[in-house]
Coordinates of all heavy atoms in Angstrom, one line a residue:
M1 N 31.7 76.6 0.6 CA 32.9 75.9 1.1 C 33.3 74.9 0.0 O 32.6 73.9 -0.2 CB 32.6 75.1 2.4 CG 32.3 76.0 3.5 SD 33.6 77.0 4.1 CE 33.9 76.4 5.7
T2 N 34.4 75.2 -0.6 CA 34.9 74.3 -1.7 C 36.1 73.5 -1.2 O 36.6 72.7 -2.0 CB 35.2 75.1 -3.0 OG1 36.2 76.1 -2.6 CG2 34.0 75.7 -3.6
A3 N 36.5 73.8 -0.1 CA 37.8 73.1 0.4 C 37.5 71.7 0.6 O 36.7 71.3 1.3 CB 38.3 73.8 1.7
K4 N 38.2 70.9 -0.2 CA 38.1 69.5 -0.1 C 39.4 68.9 0.5 O 40.4 69.4 0.4 CB 37.9 68.8 -1.4 CG 36.5 68.6 -1.9 CD 36.4 67.9 -3.2 CE 35.1 67.1 -3.3 NZ 35.1 66.3 -4.5
H5 N 39.2 67.8 1.2 CA 40.4 67.2 1.7 C 41.1 66.5 0.6 O 40.7 65.4 0.2 CB 40.1 66.3 2.9 CG 39.8 67.0 4.1 ND1 40.8 67.6 4.8 CD2 38.7 67.2 4.8 CE1 40.3 68.2 5.9 NE2 39.0 68.0 5.9
K6 N 42.1 67.1 0.2 CA 42.9 66.4 -0.8 C 43.9 65.5 -0.1 O 44.3 65.7 1.0 CB 43.7 67.4 -1.7 CG 42.9 67.9 -2.9 CD 43.8 68.8 -3.7 CE 43.2 69.0 -5.1 NZ 44.1 69.7 -6.0
A7 N 44.4 64.6 -0.9 CA 45.4 63.7 -0.3 C 46.8 64.4 -0.3 O 47.6 64.3 -1.2 CB 45.6 62.4 -1.1
V8 N 46.9 65.3 0.7 CA 48.1 66.0 0.8 C 49.3 65.2 1.3 O 49.2 64.7 2.4 CB 47.9 67.3 1.7 CG1 49.3 68.1 1.7 CG2 46.8 68.2 1.1
R9 N 50.3 65.1 0.5 CA 51.4 64.3 1.0 C 52.2 65.2 2.0 O 52.3 66.3 1.8 CB 52.3 63.9 -0.2 CG 51.7 62.8 -1.0 CD 52.9 62.0 -1.6 NE 52.3 60.9 -2.4 CZ 52.0 61.1 -3.7 NH1 52.2 62.2 -4.3 NH2 51.5 60.1 -4.4
H10 N 52.7 64.5 3.0 CA 53.5 65.2 3.9 C 54.8 65.5 3.2 O 55.7 64.7 3.1 CB 53.7 64.4 5.2 CG 52.6 64.5 6.1 ND1 52.3 65.6 6.9 CD2 51.5 63.6 6.3 CE1 51.2 65.3 7.5 NE2 50.7 64.2 7.2
K11 N 55.0 66.8 2.8 CA 56.2 67.2 2.2 C 57.2 67.5 3.3 O 56.9 68.2 4.3 CB 56.0 68.4 1.4 CG 57.1 68.7 0.4 CD 56.7 69.9 -0.4 CE 57.9 70.3 -1.3 NZ 57.6 71.5 -2.1
H12 N 58.3 67.0 3.2 CA 59.4 67.2 4.2 C 59.9 68.6 4.1 O 60.4 69.0 3.1 CB 60.5 66.2 4.0 CG 61.5 66.4 5.1 ND1 61.3 66.0 6.4 CD2 62.8 66.9 5.1 CE1 62.4 66.3 7.1 NE2 63.3 66.8 6.3
I13 N 59.7 69.3 5.2 CA 60.2 70.7 5.3 C 61.4 70.6 6.2 O 61.2 70.2 7.4 CB 59.1 71.6 5.8 CG1 57.9 71.7 4.9 CG2 59.7 73.0 6.0 CD1 56.7 72.4 5.4
P14 N 62.5 71.1 5.7 CA 63.7 71.1 6.6 C 63.5 72.0 7.8 O 63.0 73.1 7.7 CB 64.8 71.6 5.7 CG 64.3 71.7 4.4 CD 62.8 71.7 4.4
Q15 N 63.8 71.4 9.0 CA 63.6 72.2 10.2 C 65.0 72.4 10.9 O 65.8 71.5 10.8 CB 62.7 71.4 11.1 CG 61.4 71.0 10.5 CD 60.2 71.8 11.1 OE1 60.0 71.8 12.3 NE2 59.5 72.5 10.3
R16 N 65.1 73.6 11.4 CA 66.3 73.9 12.2 C 65.9 74.6 13.4 O 64.8 75.2 13.5 CB 67.2 74.8 11.4 CG 67.8 74.2 10.1 CD 68.8 73.1 10.4 NE 69.4 72.6 9.2 CZ 68.9 71.7 8.4 NH1 67.7 71.2 8.7 NH2 69.5 71.3 7.3
S17 N 66.8 74.6 14.4 CA 66.4 75.3 15.6 C 67.3 76.5 15.8 O 68.5 76.5 15.4 CB 66.6 74.3 16.8 OG 67.9 73.9 16.9
C18 N 66.7 77.5 16.4 CA 67.4 78.7 16.6 C 68.6 78.4 17.6 O 68.3 77.7 18.6 CB 66.5 79.8 17.2 SG 67.3 81.2 17.8
A19 N 69.7 79.0 17.4 CA 70.9 78.7 18.2 C 70.7 79.3 19.6 O 71.3 78.8 20.6 CB 72.2 79.2 17.6
V20 N 69.8 80.2 19.7 CA 69.7 80.9 21.0 C 68.5 80.3 21.8 O 68.6 79.8 22.9 CB 69.5 82.4 20.9 CG1 69.3 83.1 22.2 CG2 70.8 83.0 20.2
C21 N 67.3 80.4 21.2 CA 66.1 80.0 22.0 C 65.7 78.6 21.7 O 64.8 78.1 22.4 CB 64.9 81.0 21.6 SG 64.3 80.8 20.0
R22 N 66.4 78.0 20.7 CA 66.2 76.5 20.5 C 64.8 76.2 19.9 O 64.4 75.1 19.8 CB 66.3 75.7 21.7 CG 67.7 75.8 22.3 CD 68.7 75.0 21.4 NE 70.1 75.2 21.8 CZ 71.1 74.9 21.1 NH1 70.9 74.3 19.9 NH2 72.3 75.1 21.4
Q23 N 64.1 77.3 19.5 CA 62.8 77.0 18.9 C 63.0 76.4 17.5 O 63.8 76.9 16.7 CB 62.0 78.3 18.8 CG 60.6 78.1 18.2 CD 59.9 79.4 18.1 OE1 60.2 80.4 18.8 NE2 58.9 79.5 17.2
V24 N 62.3 75.4 17.2 CA 62.4 74.7 15.9 C 61.5 75.4 14.9 O 60.3 75.6 15.2 CB 62.1 73.2 16.0 CG1 62.2 72.6 14.7 CG2 63.1 72.6 17.0
C25 N 62.0 75.8 13.8 CA 61.3 76.5 12.8 C 61.6 75.9 11.4 O 62.7 75.3 11.3 CB 61.6 77.9 12.7 SG 61.2 78.9 14.2
P26 N 60.7 76.0 10.4 CA 61.2 75.7 9.1 C 62.4 76.5 8.7 O 62.5 77.7 9.1 CB 60.0 76.2 8.2 CG 58.8 76.1 9.1 CD 59.4 76.5 10.5
K27 N 63.3 75.9 8.1 CA 64.6 76.4 7.8 C 64.5 77.8 7.1 O 65.3 78.7 7.4 CB 65.4 75.5 6.9 CG 66.8 75.8 6.7 CD 67.4 74.7 5.8 CE 68.7 75.2 5.2 NZ 69.3 74.2 4.3
R28 N 63.5 77.9 6.2 CA 63.4 79.2 5.5 C 63.0 80.4 6.4 O 63.1 81.5 6.0 CB 62.5 79.1 4.3 CG 61.1 78.7 4.7 CD 60.3 78.4 3.5 NE 59.0 77.8 3.8 CZ 58.0 78.5 4.3 NH1 58.0 79.7 4.4 NH2 56.8 77.8 4.6
E29 N 62.5 80.1 7.5 CA 62.1 81.2 8.4 C 63.2 81.6 9.4 O 63.1 82.5 10.2 CB 60.9 80.7 9.3 CG 59.6 80.6 8.4 CD 58.4 80.2 9.2 OE1 58.5 80.3 10.5 OE2 57.4 79.7 8.6
L30 N 64.3 80.8 9.3 CA 65.4 81.2 10.1 C 66.5 81.9 9.2 O 66.5 81.7 8.0 CB 66.0 79.9 10.7 CG 65.1 79.2 11.7 CD1 65.6 77.8 12.0 CD2 64.9 79.9 13.0
T31 N 67.4 82.5 9.9 CA 68.5 83.2 9.2 C 69.8 82.4 9.5 O 70.0 82.1 10.6 CB 68.7 84.6 9.6 OG1 67.4 85.3 9.3 CG2 69.8 85.3 8.8
R32 N 70.4 82.0 8.4 CA 71.7 81.3 8.6 C 72.9 82.2 8.8 O 73.0 83.2 8.0 CB 71.9 80.3 7.5 CG 73.1 79.4 7.7 CD 73.1 78.4 6.6 NE 74.2 77.4 6.8 CZ 75.4 77.4 6.1 NH1 75.6 78.2 5.2 NH2 76.3 76.5 6.4
L33 N 73.7 81.9 9.8 CA 74.9 82.6 9.9 C 76.0 81.6 9.6 O 75.9 80.4 10.0 CB 75.1 83.1 11.4 CG 74.0 84.1 11.8 CD1 74.2 84.4 13.3 CD2 74.1 85.4 11.0
V34 N 77.0 82.1 8.9 CA 78.1 81.2 8.5 C 79.4 81.8 8.9 O 79.5 83.1 8.8 CB 78.0 80.8 7.0 CG1 78.3 82.0 6.2 CG2 78.9 79.7 6.7
I35 N 80.3 81.0 9.3 CA 81.6 81.5 9.7 C 82.6 81.4 8.5 O 82.7 80.3 8.0 CB 82.2 80.8 11.0 CG1 83.5 81.3 11.3 CG2 82.2 79.3 10.8 CD1 83.5 82.7 12.0
S36 N 83.1 82.5 8.1 CA 84.1 82.5 7.0 C 85.5 82.8 7.6 O 85.6 83.7 8.4 CB 83.7 83.6 6.0 OG 84.8 84.0 5.3
P37 N 86.4 82.0 7.3 CA 87.8 82.2 7.8 C 88.3 83.6 7.6 O 89.0 84.1 8.4 CB 88.6 81.1 7.1 CG 87.6 80.1 6.6 CD 86.4 80.8 6.4
E38 N 88.0 84.1 6.4 CA 88.5 85.4 6.1 C 87.7 86.5 6.6 O 88.2 87.6 7.1 CB 88.6 85.6 4.5 CG 89.5 84.6 3.9 CD 88.8 83.3 3.5 OE1 87.6 83.3 3.4 OE2 89.5 82.3 3.3
A39 N 86.3 86.4 6.6 CA 85.5 87.5 6.8 C 84.7 87.4 8.1 O 83.9 88.3 8.4 CB 84.5 87.6 5.6
G40 N 84.9 86.4 8.9 CA 84.2 86.3 10.1 C 82.8 85.8 9.9 O 82.5 85.1 8.9
I41 N 81.9 86.2 10.9 CA 80.5 85.7 10.8 C 79.8 86.5 9.8 O 79.7 87.8 9.9 CB 79.9 85.8 12.2 CG1 80.6 84.8 13.1 CG2 78.4 85.5 12.1 CD1 80.1 84.9 14.6
Q42 N 79.1 85.8 8.9 CA 78.4 86.5 7.8 C 76.9 86.0 7.9 O 76.7 84.9 8.2 CB 79.0 86.1 6.4 CG 80.4 86.5 6.2 CD 80.6 88.0 6.1 OE1 79.8 88.7 5.5 NE2 81.7 88.5 6.7
V43 N 76.0 86.9 7.6 CA 74.7 86.5 7.4 C 74.5 85.9 6.0 O 74.8 86.5 5.0 CB 73.7 87.8 7.5 CG1 72.3 87.3 7.3 CG2 73.8 88.4 8.9
D44 N 74.2 84.6 6.0 CA 74.1 83.9 4.8 C 72.7 83.9 4.3 O 71.9 83.0 4.6 CB 74.6 82.4 5.1 CG 74.4 81.5 3.9 OD1 74.3 82.1 2.7 OD2 74.4 80.3 4.0
T45 N 72.4 84.9 3.4 CA 71.1 85.0 3.0 C 70.7 83.9 2.0 O 69.5 83.6 1.8 CB 70.9 86.4 2.3 OG1 71.9 86.6 1.4 CG2 70.9 87.5 3.3
S46 N 71.7 83.4 1.3 CA 71.4 82.3 0.4 C 71.1 81.0 1.1 O 70.4 80.1 0.6 CB 72.5 82.1 -0.6 OG 73.6 81.5 0.0
G47 N 71.6 80.9 2.3 CA 71.5 79.6 3.1 C 72.4 78.5 2.5 O 72.3 77.4 2.9
K48 N 73.3 78.9 1.6 CA 74.1 77.8 1.0 C 75.6 78.0 1.1 O 76.3 77.3 0.4 CB 73.7 77.7 -0.5 CG 72.3 77.2 -0.7 CD 71.9 77.3 -2.2 CE 70.4 76.9 -2.4 NZ 69.9 77.2 -3.7
A49 N 75.9 79.1 1.8 CA 77.3 79.3 1.9 C 78.1 78.2 2.6 O 77.5 77.6 3.5 CB 77.6 80.6 2.6
P50 N 79.2 77.9 2.1 CA 80.0 76.8 2.7 C 80.5 77.2 4.1 O 80.7 78.4 4.3 CB 81.2 76.6 1.8 CG 81.3 77.9 1.1 CD 80.0 78.5 1.0
G51 N 80.7 76.2 4.9 CA 81.3 76.6 6.2 C 80.3 76.2 7.3 O 79.2 75.9 7.1
R52 N 80.8 76.3 8.5 CA 80.0 76.0 9.7 C 79.0 77.1 9.9 O 79.2 78.3 9.8 CB 80.9 76.0 10.9 CG 80.2 75.7 12.2 CD 81.2 75.5 13.3 NE 81.9 74.3 13.2 CZ 81.5 73.1 13.6 NH1 80.3 73.0 14.1 NH2 82.2 72.0 13.4
G53 N 77.7 76.6 10.1 CA 76.7 77.6 10.2 C 75.9 77.4 11.4 O 75.9 76.4 12.1
A54 N 75.1 78.4 11.8 CA 74.2 78.4 12.9 C 72.9 79.2 12.4 O 73.0 80.1 11.6 CB 74.8 79.0 14.1
Y55 N 71.8 78.9 13.0 CA 70.6 79.5 12.6 C 70.0 80.3 13.8 O 70.1 80.0 14.9 CB 69.5 78.5 12.2 CG 69.9 77.7 11.0 CD1 70.7 76.6 11.0 CD2 69.4 78.2 9.7 CE1 71.1 76.0 9.8 CE2 69.8 77.5 8.6 CZ 70.6 76.4 8.6 OH 71.0 75.8 7.5
L56 N 69.5 81.5 13.4 CA 68.8 82.3 14.3 C 67.4 82.6 13.8 O 67.1 82.7 12.6 CB 69.5 83.6 14.5 CG 70.8 83.6 15.3 CD1 71.4 85.1 15.3 CD2 70.7 83.1 16.6
C57 N 66.4 82.6 14.8 CA 65.1 82.9 14.4 C 64.9 84.4 14.2 O 65.9 85.2 14.3 CB 64.1 82.4 15.5 SG 64.2 83.3 17.0
G58 N 63.7 84.8 13.9 CA 63.5 86.2 13.6 C 63.3 87.1 14.8 O 62.9 88.3 14.7
N59 N 63.5 86.6 16.0 CA 63.3 87.4 17.2 C 64.6 88.2 17.5 O 65.6 87.7 17.7 CB 63.1 86.4 18.4 CG 62.7 87.2 19.6 OD1 62.8 88.4 19.7 ND2 62.1 86.4 20.6
P60 N 64.4 89.5 17.5 CA 65.6 90.4 17.7 C 66.2 90.1 19.0 O 67.5 90.3 19.2 CB 64.9 91.8 17.7 CG 63.7 91.7 16.9 CD 63.2 90.3 17.2
V61 N 65.5 89.6 20.0 CA 66.1 89.2 21.3 C 67.2 88.2 21.1 O 68.3 88.2 21.7 CB 65.0 88.8 22.3 CG1 65.7 88.3 23.6 CG2 64.1 89.9 22.6
C62 N 66.9 87.2 20.2 CA 67.9 86.2 20.0 C 69.1 86.7 19.3 O 70.2 86.3 19.6 CB 67.3 85.1 19.1 SG 66.0 84.1 20.0
W63 N 68.9 87.7 18.4 CA 70.1 88.3 17.8 C 70.9 89.1 18.8 O 72.1 89.1 18.7 CB 69.6 89.2 16.6 CG 69.1 88.4 15.5 CD1 68.0 87.7 15.4 CD2 69.9 88.1 14.3 NE1 67.9 87.1 14.2 CE2 69.1 87.3 13.5 CE3 71.1 88.5 13.8 CZ2 69.5 86.9 12.2 CZ3 71.5 88.1 12.5 CH2 70.7 87.3 11.8
E64 N 70.2 89.8 19.6 CA 70.9 90.5 20.7 C 71.7 89.6 21.5 O 72.9 89.9 21.8 CB 69.8 91.2 21.6 CG 70.4 92.1 22.7 CD 70.8 93.4 22.2 OE1 70.2 93.9 21.2 OE2 71.8 93.9 22.7
R65 N 71.1 88.5 21.9 CA 71.9 87.5 22.7 C 73.0 86.9 21.9 O 74.1 86.6 22.4 CB 71.0 86.4 23.2 CG 70.0 86.9 24.3 CD 69.4 85.7 25.0 NE 68.3 86.2 25.8 CZ 67.3 85.5 26.2 NH1 67.2 84.2 25.9 NH2 66.3 85.9 27.0
A66 N 72.7 86.6 20.7 CA 73.8 86.1 19.8 C 75.0 87.0 19.7 O 76.1 86.6 19.7 CB 73.2 85.7 18.4
A67 N 74.7 88.3 19.6 CA 75.7 89.2 19.4 C 76.5 89.4 20.6 O 77.7 89.8 20.6 CB 75.1 90.6 18.9
H68 N 75.9 89.3 21.8 CA 76.6 89.7 23.0 C 76.9 88.5 24.0 O 77.5 88.6 25.0 CB 75.8 90.7 23.7 CG 75.7 92.0 22.9 ND1 76.7 92.8 22.7 CD2 74.6 92.5 22.3 CE1 76.3 93.8 21.9 NE2 75.0 93.6 21.6
G69 N 76.3 87.3 23.6 CA 76.5 86.2 24.5 C 77.5 85.2 23.9 O 78.3 85.6 23.0
E70 N 77.5 84.0 24.4 CA 78.5 83.1 24.0 C 77.9 82.0 23.1 O 78.6 81.1 22.7 CB 79.1 82.4 25.2 CG 80.0 83.3 26.0 CD 80.7 82.5 27.1 OE1 80.3 81.4 27.4 OE2 81.7 83.1 27.7
V71 N 76.6 82.2 22.8 CA 76.0 81.1 22.0 C 76.6 80.9 20.7 O 76.9 79.8 20.3 CB 74.5 81.5 21.9 CG1 73.8 80.4 21.0 CG2 73.8 81.5 23.2
L72 N 76.8 82.0 20.0 CA 77.4 81.9 18.6 C 78.8 81.4 18.6 O 79.2 80.6 17.8 CB 77.3 83.2 17.9 CG 76.0 83.5 17.1 CD1 76.2 84.7 16.3 CD2 75.6 82.3 16.3
S73 N 79.6 81.9 19.6 CA 81.0 81.5 19.6 C 81.1 80.0 19.9 O 82.0 79.4 19.4 CB 81.7 82.3 20.6 OG 81.1 82.3 21.9
K74 N 80.1 79.5 20.6 CA 80.1 78.1 20.8 C 79.6 77.3 19.6 O 80.2 76.3 19.2 CB 79.3 77.7 22.1 CG 80.0 78.0 23.4 CD 79.1 77.6 24.6 CE 79.8 78.0 25.9 NZ 78.9 77.9 27.0
A75 N 78.5 77.8 19.1 CA 77.9 77.1 17.9 C 78.9 77.1 16.7 O 78.9 76.2 16.0 CB 76.6 77.8 17.6
L76 N 79.5 78.3 16.6 CA 80.4 78.4 15.4 C 81.9 78.1 15.7 O 82.7 78.2 14.8 CB 80.2 79.8 14.8 CG 78.8 80.1 14.3 CD1 78.7 81.6 13.9 CD2 78.4 79.3 13.1
R77 N 82.1 77.9 16.9 CA 83.5 77.6 17.4 C 84.4 78.7 17.0 O 85.5 78.4 16.3 CB 83.9 76.3 16.9 CG 83.1 75.2 17.5 CD 83.5 73.8 17.1 NE 82.5 72.8 17.4 CZ 82.6 71.5 17.0 NH1 83.5 71.1 16.2 NH2 81.6 70.7 17.4
T78 N 84.1 79.9 17.3 CA 84.9 81.0 17.0 C 84.7 82.1 18.0 O 83.8 82.0 18.8 CB 84.6 81.6 15.6 OG1 85.5 82.6 15.3 CG2 83.2 82.2 15.6
N79 N 85.5 83.0 18.0 CA 85.3 84.2 18.9 C 84.7 85.3 18.1 O 85.3 85.7 17.1 CB 86.6 84.6 19.6 CG 87.1 83.6 20.6 OD1 86.3 83.1 21.4 ND2 88.4 83.3 20.6
L80 N 83.7 85.9 18.6 CA 83.1 87.0 17.9 C 84.0 88.2 18.0 O 84.5 88.6 19.0 CB 81.7 87.3 18.5 CG 80.5 86.6 17.9 CD1 80.5 85.1 18.3 CD2 79.2 87.2 18.3
T81 N 84.2 88.8 16.8 CA 85.0 90.0 16.8 C 84.0 91.2 16.9 O 82.8 91.0 16.8 CB 85.8 90.2 15.5 OG1 84.9 90.3 14.4 CG2 86.7 88.9 15.3
E82 N 84.6 92.3 17.1 CA 83.7 93.5 17.2 C 83.0 93.7 15.8 O 81.8 94.1 15.8 CB 84.6 94.8 17.5 CG 83.8 96.0 17.9 CD 82.9 95.7 19.0 OE1 83.3 95.0 20.0 OE2 81.8 96.2 19.0
Q83 N 83.6 93.4 14.8 CA 83.0 93.5 13.5 C 81.8 92.5 13.3 O 80.8 92.9 12.7 CB 84.0 93.3 12.3 CG 85.0 94.5 12.2 CD 85.9 94.3 11.1 OE1 86.2 93.2 10.6 NE2 86.4 95.4 10.6
D84 N 82.0 91.4 13.9 CA 80.9 90.4 13.8 C 79.7 90.9 14.6 O 78.6 90.8 14.1 CB 81.3 89.1 14.5 CG 82.4 88.3 13.7 OD1 82.4 88.5 12.5 OD2 83.2 87.6 14.3
R85 N 80.0 91.5 15.7 CA 78.9 92.1 16.5 C 78.2 93.2 15.8 O 76.9 93.3 15.8 CB 79.4 92.6 17.8 CG 79.9 91.5 18.7 CD 80.4 92.1 20.1 NE 81.4 91.3 20.7 CZ 81.3 90.1 21.3 NH1 80.1 89.6 21.5 NH2 82.3 89.5 21.8
V86 N 79.0 94.0 15.1 CA 78.4 95.1 14.3 C 77.5 94.5 13.2 O 76.4 95.0 13.0 CB 79.5 96.0 13.7 CG1 78.9 97.0 12.7 CG2 80.2 96.8 14.9
R87 N 78.0 93.5 12.5 CA 77.2 92.9 11.5 C 75.9 92.3 12.0 O 74.8 92.5 11.4 CB 78.0 91.9 10.7 CG 78.8 92.4 9.6 CD 79.3 91.3 8.7 NE 80.2 90.4 9.4 CZ 81.5 90.6 9.5 NH1 82.1 91.6 8.9 NH2 82.3 89.7 10.2
L88 N 76.0 91.6 13.1 CA 74.8 91.1 13.7 C 73.8 92.1 14.1 O 72.6 92.0 13.9 CB 75.2 90.2 14.9 CG 75.9 88.9 14.6 CD1 76.4 88.3 15.9 CD2 75.0 87.9 13.9
S89 N 74.3 93.2 14.7 CA 73.5 94.3 15.2 C 72.8 94.9 14.0 O 71.6 95.3 14.0 CB 74.3 95.3 15.9 OG 74.8 94.7 17.1
A90 N 73.5 95.1 12.9 CA 73.0 95.7 11.7 C 71.8 94.9 11.1 O 70.8 95.4 10.7 CB 74.1 95.9 10.6
H91 N 72.1 93.6 11.1 CA 71.0 92.7 10.6 C 69.8 92.7 11.6 O 68.6 92.7 11.1 CB 71.5 91.3 10.4 CG 70.6 90.5 9.6 ND1 70.6 90.5 8.2 CD2 69.6 89.6 9.9 CE1 69.6 89.7 7.8 NE2 69.1 89.1 8.8
M92 N 70.1 92.7 12.8 CA 69.0 92.7 13.8 C 68.2 94.0 13.7 O 66.9 93.9 13.8 CB 69.7 92.7 15.2 CG 68.7 92.7 16.3 SD 69.5 92.6 17.9 CE 70.2 94.3 18.0
A93 N 68.8 95.1 13.3 CA 68.0 96.3 13.1 C 67.0 96.2 12.0 O 65.9 96.7 12.0 CB 69.0 97.5 12.9
Q94 N 67.4 95.4 11.0 CA 66.5 95.2 9.9 C 65.3 94.3 10.3 O 64.2 94.4 9.8 CB 67.2 94.5 8.7 CG 68.3 95.5 8.1 CD 69.1 94.8 7.0 OE1 68.6 93.8 6.5 NE2 70.2 95.3 6.7
L95 N 65.7 93.3 11.2 CA 64.6 92.4 11.6 C 63.6 93.0 12.5 O 62.4 92.7 12.5 CB 65.3 91.3 12.4 CG 66.1 90.2 11.8 CD1 66.7 89.3 12.8 CD2 65.2 89.4 10.9
A96 N 64.1 94.0 13.3 CA 63.2 94.5 14.4 C 61.9 95.1 13.8 O 62.0 95.8 12.8 CB 64.0 95.6 15.1
P97 N 60.9 94.6 14.3 CA 59.6 95.2 13.9 C 59.5 96.6 14.2 O 60.2 97.2 15.0 CB 58.5 94.4 14.7 CG 59.3 93.9 15.9 CD 60.7 93.7 15.5
Q98 N 58.7 97.3 13.4 CA 58.5 98.7 13.6 C 57.8 98.9 14.9 O 56.6 98.9 15.1 CB 57.7 99.3 12.5 CG 58.3 99.2 11.1 CD 59.6 100.0 11.0 OE1 59.6 101.1 11.5 NE2 60.6 99.5 10.3
V99 N 58.6 99.2 15.9 CA 58.0 99.4 17.3 C 57.5 100.8 17.3 O 58.2 101.8 17.1 CB 59.1 99.1 18.4 CG1 58.5 99.4 19.7 CG2 59.7 97.7 18.2
Q100 N 56.3 100.8 17.7 CA 55.7 102.2 17.8 C 56.0 102.7 19.2 O 55.7 102.2 20.2 CB 54.1 102.1 17.7 CG 53.7 101.5 16.4 CD 52.3 101.8 16.1 OE1 51.6 102.3 16.9 NE2 51.9 101.6 14.8
S101 N 56.8 103.8 19.1 CA 57.3 104.4 20.4 C 56.1 105.1 21.1 O 55.4 105.8 20.4 CB 58.4 105.3 20.1 OG 58.1 106.3 19.2
N102 N 56.1 104.9 22.3 CA 55.1 105.7 23.1 C 55.5 107.1 23.2 O 56.5 107.4 23.9 CB 54.9 105.1 24.5 CG 54.5 103.7 24.4 OD1 53.8 103.3 23.5 ND2 54.9 102.9 25.4
H103 N 54.9 108.0 22.5 CA 55.3 109.4 22.7 C 54.3 110.0 23.7 O 53.1 110.0 23.5 CB 55.3 110.1 21.4 CG 54.0 110.0 20.6 ND1 52.9 110.8 20.8 CD2 53.6 109.2 19.7 CE1 51.9 110.5 20.0 NE2 52.3 109.5 19.3
D104 N 54.9 110.4 24.8 CA 54.0 111.0 25.8 C 54.5 112.5 26.1 O 55.4 113.0 25.5 CB 54.0 110.2 27.1 CG 55.4 110.2 27.7 OD1 56.3 110.8 27.2 OD2 55.5 109.6 28.8
Ligands
LIG1 ZN1 65.5 82.4 18.7

């Protein structure tokens, strides 16, 4: 055992909460959505896009709710368009863990 207790400074990690489930996570573990006047709701992979943003955690359920509920429209103060929902669903599909289907 070589692990020594070093004087680890508490580094401030930015925390944000998921717009749907409200779970607080380090910002980098959340996905930022940003509302663009021209392009609607965009997945902001850089986390730095200008504009009003909202964060979603990695739970596909939250994305599902975000796409079909009112959470995002309230958080982003916009109305989700069909294209926004499609974009969210597309991103959600990437998030979804490889669910092993029960083949019976
Ligand atoms: Zn969530």
